[in-house]
Amino acid sequence: MSSTPHYRPATLLVQGGIERTQYAETAEALFLTSGFVYDDADQAEATFNGTTDHYQYSRFGNPTVTMFEERLARIEGAEACRATATGMAAVNAALLAGLKAGDRVVASRALFGSCHWIVSTLLPRFGIATEFVDCADLEQWRAALSRPAALVLLESPSNPMLEIVDLRAVSALAHAAGALVVVDNVFATPLLQKPLALGADVVVYSCTKHIDGQGRVLGGAVLGSRKWIEEVLSPFIRNTGPVISPFNAWLLLKGLETLALRVEAGCRNAAAIADFLATRPGVTRVWYPARTDHPQHALAMAQASAGGTMVTFEVAGGKEGAFRVLNGLRLVRVSNNLGDAKSLATHPATTTHMRIGPEERERLGITDGVIRLSVGLEDVEDLKEDLARALDGLASRATA
Ligand SMILES: *Cc1c(COP(=O)(O)O)cnc(C)c1O
């Protein structure tokens, strides 16, 4: 595989980066080891001074983790990848590895909660100035990036309102300001959208989401140029230790094998569910990037090859209405997780976006009637029946 980098994504997902041991096993080997031994003191010395290639310690590298990093890098089209224990460890490492006091960070307002906390609360403690912009408003990006900046962090499509950032335009503005562009590509998955090809410098993932996609483990990844990964990111990861367990990396390798099948089926179900919801009484609005009524439909479809597995909709009756619908679901479960084989629904205003407060929620368009649906792999007719039943409960109450 290593000499044949031209394979298509479906092939890379199954075979990319595999390194077999002397036993020629079919499946990727799980190296559940913290360290490695040397033939002799000379080999240890050569390993440490870099004149020979040998694993040292699993905080620095591990063969199972390397296979996962190689596979993900090839799928993304990135030169290099480092895997981390969680998605947040990936975001944190991507930011802190290169930032210093006096730097300035510009970030999208619509960020995953913990990413928002790092930018709004953690970075300023270390003398890093931060500024948030409304992610769909190019004029705000232009204004914020008219002054020098060290880093831009953004998420597209955003959670939970599925707003789209113009990746090409924002990357160009950011580069002119001297900033490194970091894209949290979780909602798009490595298959639907390629931020590096659109001008971004670094891509981060919570592998907990679609890459595992089966509710088992947490994991994260940072992808970028070999130079940035080796010179900036790797020293930070080696010395601060947010590494992934080889066991989790092994599960994620197996997750990648079915990623294309799962994402394709999830997108198909999500598109059907979005169209279905749009016809139901009690549903006041549906957001799905592949629908022509999405406010940024053209941009969304120019940047990504499908609408994704997430559908956001608003029901009548505010929080009470949303809770009635969520509590009326039997097949779709209430959970803040996403990207899973199982369909999961959440009420952002009282869970994932509770902490940001009502004003910030209003700015982001997260009303009390908004429900975020992560569409899974169940039979779409069963999902429709479940949603229809839950929404009928809303309609009968509203007219009672
Ligand atoms: C889940 C998520 C994260 C954090 O990932 P963890 O694996 O939970 O640490 C970051 N960004 C986005 C967009 C996410 O959905």
Side-chain angles (χ1 to χ4, degrees):
M1 276 305 296
S2 36
S3 56
T4 49
H6 57 271
Y7 285 116
R8 293 166 182 83
T11 307
L12 294 172
L13 286 165
V14 178
Q15 303 237 17
I18 196 160
E19 287 275 359
R20 294 194 164 89
T21 72
Q22 72 270 34
Y23 301 116
E25 62 283 350
T26 306
E28 298 73 10
L30 170 53
F31 290 91
L32 214 44
T33 181
S34 49
F36 302 85
V37 295
Y38 307 97
D39 291 341
D40 47 34
D42 306 82
Q43 193 186 33
E45 181 187 34
T47 301
F48 274 74
N49 70 24
T51 52
T52 193
D53 216 12
H54 193 288
Y55 282 99
Q56 287 163 272
Y57 189 51
S58 285
R59 175 151 48 78
F60 305 167
N62 170 285
T64 307
V65 175
T66 302
M67 283 191 268
F68 173 61
E69 291 170 340
E70 276 296 308
R71 186 169 294 179
L72 194 54
R74 289 186 198 187
I75 294 155
E76 189 69 41
E79 286 175 10
C81 169
R82 287 305 308 267
T84 55
T86 65
M88 283 322 304
V91 173
N92 189 53
L95 266 56
L96 292 187
L99 289 173
K100 59 182 189 316
D103 279 346
R104 188 170 162 263
V105 170
V106 176
S108 163
R109 191 180 302 284
L111 283 183
F112 184 76
S114 295
C115 302
H116 195 278
W117 183 86
I118 291 177
V119 174
S120 65
T121 306
L122 182 67
L123 297 183
R125 276 191 211 160
F126 296 93
I128 295 162
T130 63
E131 183 175 342
F132 286 106
V133 300
D134 293 335
C135 72
D137 186 342
L138 204 50
E139 287 318 305
Q140 285 190 34
W141 285 108
R142 202 185 307 280
L145 293 168
S146 62
R147 289 184 289 140
L151 189 142
V152 163
L153 175 65
L154 61 90
E155 191 184 310
S156 184
S158 72
N159 174 28
M161 301 315 296
L162 307 177
E163 283 188 282
I164 310 295
V165 179
D166 187 331
L167 294 175
R168 220 185 275 280
V170 171
S171 295
L173 291 168
H175 290 154
L180 183 84
V181 178
V182 180
V183 175
D184 182 337
N185 204 39
V186 166
F187 273 41
T189 82
L191 297 177
L192 304 182
Q193 174 172 277
K194 305 285 188 191
L196 299 177
L198 295 168
D201 304 295
V202 174
V203 175
V204 292
Y205 287 105
S206 165
C207 303
T208 316
K209 311 298 164 51
H210 304 80
I211 292 175
D212 175 49
Q214 290 150 90
R216 304 169 298 188
V217 296
L218 304 181
V222 186
L223 299 108
S225 73
R226 188 167 305 284
K227 184 174 159 62
W228 184 81
I229 297 270
E230 283 177 5
E231 292 175 11
V232 180
L233 185 74
S234 288
F236 182 88
I237 288 183
R238 267 172 89 101
N239 293 305
T240 63
V243 295
I244 191 168
S245 149
F247 181 75
N248 290 0
W250 179 79
L251 275 172
L252 294 174
L253 267 166
K254 305 315 277 178
L256 286 178
E257 290 189 345
T258 57
L259 183 68
L261 300 174
R262 289 183 289 104
V263 168
E264 209 177 293
C267 287
R268 204 180 324 116
N269 278 357
I273 293 292
D275 289 343
F276 170 76
L277 286 170
T279 66
R280 303 304 294 185
V283 174
T284 47
R285 207 165 155 194
V286 174
W287 290 265
Y288 186 65
R291 276 178 60 85
T292 52
D293 59 0
H294 185 284
Q296 298 165 283
H297 170 71
L299 176 62
M301 292 298 98
Q303 290 187 169
S305 57
T309 65
M310 306 295 294
V311 178
T312 299
F313 62 106
E314 185 190 54
V315 297
K319 177 185 166 187
E320 202 196 331
F323 272 37
R324 190 162 293 139
V325 171
L326 286 168
N327 294 341
L329 294 167
R330 290 181 208 161
L331 185 59
V332 177
R333 301 310 306 260
V334 176
S335 172
N336 47 283
N337 203 6
L338 63 96
D340 201 90
K342 295 177 174 61
S343 290
L344 304 171
T346 192
H347 183 242
T350 53
T351 61
T352 54
H353 292 70
M354 178 258 290
R355 284 214 169 75
I356 63 171
E359 269 172 42
E360 191 72 358
R361 278 199 298 278
E362 198 184 313
R363 261 197 104 128
L364 293 171
I366 307 170
T367 66
D368 286 350
V370 162
I371 293 173
R372 185 193 76 186
L373 187 61
S374 171
V375 181
L377 308 182
E378 299 91 345
D379 190 305
V380 73
E381 296 307 321
D382 288 331
L383 293 175
K384 283 185 197 169
E385 283 169 24
D386 198 38
L387 287 160
R389 187 174 45 237
L391 286 162
D392 285 348
L394 178 69
S396 63
R397 271 304 185 97
T399 53

